[in-house]
Amino acid sequence: MSGRTFFGHPWGLATLFGTEMWERFSWYGLRAILATFLAASPAQHGLGLSQETAQAVVGVYGALIYLVALPGGWIADRILGARRSVFWGGFVIMLGHISMALPVSSPFFVWLGLLLIIAGTGLLKPNMSVMVGRLYPEGDDARRDAGFSLFYMSINLGAFFAPIVVGWLADGDRWHLGFGAAAVGMAFGLAQYLRGGRHLRGIGERPVHVQHRLFWWVAGIAAVATAIALGAWAATGTLTVDRLTVAVTVVILVVPVAYFAYILLGSHDLTEDERIRMKAYVWLFVAASVFWMIYDLAPSKLLFFARDHTDLSLFGLPIQPATTQSFNPLFIMIFVPVFAALWVRLGTRVSTPQKFAFALIVVGLSFVVMAVAAALAGPGRVSVWWLVLVYLIQVFGELSLSPVGLSVTTKLAPEAFKGQMLGVWFISLSVGDAVGGQTGRLGRVLSDPVYYLVLAAMAIVAGIALFMFARRLRVMMAEHHEPVIR
């Protein structure tokens, strides 16, 4: 390769690396303090929600972030192009953080800010990955995979530093200062993107399929219908934040059911083998949703535990509750190369269903550890090293499921749905986040140790069941060309 390179890759990767790192800084910075801000009393400049409602809001917020990746990819393909979608997505995200940073007591700007961040992330997140892939010519799969590994590092760098910086700034109920730091992070990302735009070599400048009119009709009808429904609900006097999170969760649960029914019950010129593979994928999708239901409680339930029941000190140095959110990306950066080498070494001896089952059991065991920690803490506190152990265990599960899930999604996707199936994988995260947020309601009838054990049991039982049917699923997937079981 001639010209300037970024660790042997096209220099455009440096532009996307920096943009993604700062965008993830803004996202994880906000996420690290959002639940505690929502639950803080008005005297502490928070919104005064209950912990259960705050957990539900954070769950629905995360769920919508992943759900809007589908329309975000559609808009890029048919209206804006990937390049402009990333820019306008980042700009809207920045406006959302600015809205939340305004030092006013009205919650309006908080909800407006969250909506803007959701909309902006839907435009930016899926299209960044698309542009990384287009930096490489067809057939250059090895370098493309290595490029995505570097790109993945940018995500975790932003995720590691954000909770430390934003948590420190927000200490002492200075929430809006923390939100402001997230806005500055996104501004840095946009500046990096504009400055390095010339190195992208025209990638993503034009939409693949121009289709403006249909989009505006669909978007307009959806917006009007939503506004009418919310207005009618508000007029009854029964609309609350808590009930709204339940309604959104129900909608999110309906989406994958409807989508899989559409694929499996319609013709779409699917072959019999494609239908069988999709039926296998449905079970992997459910398993992934259960995994994310537990794993993505980090910025809500585990954050509250860090604040209320741990001695916030590492190696004798005081830390903020938000800083515990940095444990996960740190462990990911450490263990990604270990697991990459492990899967290569194991080869075809371990199937995708077995990896998913292992991930479920591991994430379940992490909550067994949480149950022990909660029991030992009681009304008091335990060492923060309990949380370090929990995040370490969970990372082993994530690295067994997340990258494997992306890979198997592309392999099992029917030809007619190749371009949409990665969006379907993100819906599993959406379902898990939404349902996980609602599990906070169990805290009204269960003690914390029992709450953790109930969720742990769900994951472990699901993992054992998946292990039992792993061979059958492997055959349905036609993975590694095993003989069919009769």
Side-chain angles (χ1 to χ4, degrees):
M1 175 185 296
S2 60
R4 194 179 185 189
T5 64
F6 180 67
F7 295 103
H9 294 269
W11 190 255
L13 183 61
T15 298
L16 299 178
F17 181 101
T19 305
E20 181 73 1
M21 182 184 70
W22 284 113
E23 187 274 330
R24 291 290 87 184
F25 177 94
S26 70
W27 157 250
Y28 282 102
L30 168 65
R31 200 177 85 140
I33 63 172
L34 180 58
T36 44
F37 162 74
L38 295 173
S41 69
Q44 298 171 306
H45 310 294
L47 292 196
L49 303 181
S50 68
Q51 287 194 14
E52 292 82 7
T53 301
Q55 181 175 332
V57 169
V58 172
V60 165
Y61 168 65
L64 290 175
I65 286 287
Y66 291 110
L67 193 65
V68 295
L70 277 174
W74 191 93
I75 291 171
D77 284 345
R78 290 166 173 79
I79 299 176
L80 294 176
R83 187 164 173 178
R84 282 188 293 171
S85 294
V86 168
F87 171 77
W88 287 111
F91 184 74
V92 172
I93 290 171
M94 183 180 68
L95 292 181
H97 288 299
I98 291 172
S99 178
M100 297 190 69
L102 294 175
V104 294
S105 58
S106 172
F108 170 80
F109 291 101
V110 173
W111 304 124
L112 174 63
L114 292 177
L115 287 174
L116 289 173
I117 294 166
I118 290 168
T121 306
L123 279 175
L124 184 146
K125 187 172 178 60
N127 295 303
M128 286 290 290
S129 298
V130 168
M131 293 179 70
V132 171
R134 291 179 182 172
L135 287 172
Y136 302 88
E138 290 292 330
D140 198 2
D141 293 341
R143 291 183 64 251
R144 183 183 291 108
D145 289 348
F148 270 106
S149 296
L150 271 174
F151 185 70
Y152 193 57
M153 182 65 72
S154 74
I155 295 172
N156 287 290
L157 281 173
F160 173 73
F161 287 109
I164 299 172
V165 175
V166 173
W168 174 73
L169 289 172
D171 185 35
D173 305 328
R174 298 175 300 184
W175 309 107
H176 298 290
L177 191 57
F179 298 144
V184 171
M186 191 65 253
F188 281 150
L190 283 174
Q192 168 89 8
Y193 189 66
L194 290 173
R195 183 181 179 187
R198 66 185 183 278
H199 301 295
L200 297 176
R201 303 178 301 188
I203 292 169
E205 286 189 346
R206 297 181 182 276
V208 179
H209 307 288
V210 178
Q211 199 173 14
H212 292 165
R213 185 175 298 176
L214 176 62
F215 168 76
W216 293 118
W217 271 106
V218 172
I221 292 171
V224 170
T226 302
I228 291 174
L230 289 176
W233 190 1
T236 66
T238 60
L239 175 60
T240 64
V241 172
D242 197 49
R243 289 170 178 164
L244 182 60
T245 64
V246 175
V248 174
T249 298
V250 171
V251 171
I252 289 170
L253 288 172
V254 168
V255 170
V257 174
Y259 197 85
F260 283 124
Y262 171 71
I263 294 176
L264 293 171
L265 300 181
S267 62
H268 312 299
D269 295 322
L270 266 62
T271 66
E272 187 60 28
D273 285 343
E274 286 179 327
R275 289 186 186 280
I276 292 173
R277 287 197 293 269
M278 279 307 299
K279 289 177 182 177
Y281 183 77
V282 169
W283 293 107
L284 297 179
F285 180 95
V286 172
S289 298
V290 173
F291 176 87
W292 298 120
M293 176 188 72
I294 293 177
Y295 187 86
D296 277 352
L297 289 177
S300 54
K301 187 69 176 180
L302 300 194
L303 181 61
F304 287 131
F305 184 84
R307 184 193 65 181
D308 300 333
H309 296 295
T310 65
D311 293 318
L312 290 167
S313 174
L314 279 175
F315 304 109
L317 298 175
I319 61 172
Q320 302 300 324
T323 304
T324 59
Q325 301 296 291
S326 293
F327 299 158
N328 174 278
L330 175 62
F331 288 138
I332 288 176
M333 288 187 286
I334 292 172
F335 287 103
V336 158
V338 175
F339 272 75
L342 176 64
W343 298 141
V344 171
R345 185 175 183 83
L346 290 174
T348 61
R349 285 175 289 174
V350 179
S351 67
T352 296
Q354 287 173 327
K355 292 174 184 176
F356 272 53
F358 173 77
L360 281 170
I361 291 174
V362 164
V363 82
L365 291 176
S366 77
F367 263 34
V368 172
V369 175
M370 276 303 306
V372 174
L376 291 175
R381 296 179 179 270
V382 293
S383 169
V384 76
W385 287 101
W386 281 97
L387 280 178
V388 173
L389 177 60
V390 168
Y391 285 121
L392 176 63
I393 296 171
Q394 289 189 351
V395 161
F396 294 158
E398 182 189 3
L399 294 178
S400 302
L401 181 138
S402 184
V404 177
L406 287 169
S407 176
V408 77
T409 297
T410 59
K411 292 175 184 175
L412 300 184
E415 193 61 38
F417 295 91
K418 283 287 186 185
Q420 304 172 39
M421 285 301 292
L422 279 182
V424 174
W425 169 253
F426 284 124
I427 295 177
S428 73
L429 285 91
S430 187
V431 170
D433 280 13
V435 175
Q438 297 301 326
T439 64
R441 301 175 191 281
L442 294 174
R444 298 171 183 171
V445 294
L446 301 176
S447 66
D448 274 358
V450 176
Y451 167 86
Y452 292 122
L453 284 176
V454 167
L455 295 189
M458 291 174 61
I460 293 172
V461 169
I464 293 172
L466 198 57
F467 261 127
M468 292 173 62
F469 291 97
R471 182 172 173 79
R472 181 59 185 166
L473 286 174
R474 190 174 190 177
V475 173
M476 292 173 68
M477 295 162 56
E479 190 174 51
H480 310 317
H481 306 288
E482 284 206 347
V484 176
I485 299 173
R486 301 262 181 207

